[in-house]
Every structure is written in structure tokens, then in C-alpha cells.
Amino acid sequence: SDIPILFYCGWRDIVESGALRAFTALQNGYAGRSLFAPMQQGQKTTPKYQIIVGNWVHAEGLNAAVYLEWLDTWVKGKDTGLQEVKKPLHLYETNSDRWINTDVYPLVKDYTVLQLAPGEKLAEAGTPVASSTARLRWALPEEDGARLAFTSKPFTKGATLAGPVAVTLSAA
């Protein structure tokens, strides 16, 4: 549609994953790629589609100056520099307390997929795991038995959690 879009969301936002998927689809469409594919390293992007993902919940962290600059650029046609942005994805990295600008999502080309395993563990996808069950009680999260946690082996060289996160869960 060639209509500029600024997504503004937070890591603890109810729309964070949808905004990232929409941003990716728009950038892929611009590059002539499948709307549902991950972006590729070096892919052509446009500054008309940008996203800001901060460390906040829904409707927090909004910055009127950013919106006014966006409107000045794309509605009034002023040269603000936004039309020259090469890295249209602006992410707050929570543990390092810094902002990073990039032009690809997910951020890395190679990643490890983990799957649920018995004993409330996480195993690398493709590792044979036995079928198992874990009990979860319907209650407030702070009550005993109302939460589950699955743990991976330690990442001895460190790790960055960056990219889409999903889980397929069958419950009875």
C-alpha cells in the first residue's frame, strides 16, 4: 500500500508478537518475499515501515516527539532523516539496558530450537524425548502447583534470546 507505518510496542505488551510479525510481513512484501518468512540477512528494507520495541507494557513508553517527527516526515514531507533510516527495527535489549537498531528479524541466522522434555526440562529439537505429563493446578500463579517452569542445560558460551517465541501445548 506504500502507507508508512510506525509500530510502537513493548516486550511486556499484549501486541508485541503481532507487531513484530506485521513489521516482518511488510518488510518482506517490500522486498518481494513471502510475507510469512523470517527476514533474511542483507534483505532490502524500507524506512516507511519501522518498529520500536521498548521495555514496557501496552501504552507505556510512548514518546510524542517520535510521533511528531514521524508525521513531519511522512505526512508533511519534511526532511527529518527518518526517510534515510537503514535499520528500521529499534529494540531495547533488556539485560544490557541498551537500544539496538537492526534491519532483520529474527536477529540471528542460526538459532537453537528447544522442545519440552520430561522432568520439566528443555531439550534441543530433534532430541528423542519420551512422552510425559506435567500437572498444573488452576489457581492464582503465586499458589503452589499453579506454575510450571522448564529449564534448559546451561549455555556455557552465553546466549541471546532474540526472535519469535512460540509453544505448542496440548492440555487436558
Side-chain angles (χ1 to χ4, degrees), residues 92-152:
Y92 182 79
E93 192 175 58
T94 54
N95 286 348
S96 68
D97 196 30
R98 68 182 176 130
W99 285 91
I100 52 175
N101 299 306
T102 184
D103 60 353
V104 65
Y105 186 79
L107 302 179
V108 295
K109 183 175 80 173
D110 298 316
Y111 51 88
T112 302
V113 176
L114 301 173
Q115 63 187 14
L116 301 178
E120 297 182 5
K121 302 288 185 201
L122 291 171
E124 287 191 25
T127 303
V129 295
S131 178
S132 69
T133 60
R135 292 205 175 272
L136 180 64
R137 191 168 70 82
W138 182 263
L140 294 173
E142 61 271 9
E143 293 182 30
D144 286 342
R147 289 177 291 175
L148 287 173
F150 289 80
T151 306
S152 71

Side-chain angles (χ1 to χ4, degrees), residues 4-24:
I5 298 173
L6 174 63
F7 296 95
Y8 213 107
C9 61
W11 290 122
R12 296 176 284 131
D13 197 330
I14 59 174
V15 299
E16 161 267 325
S17 62
L20 283 162
R21 281 194 303 272
F23 168 81
T24 300

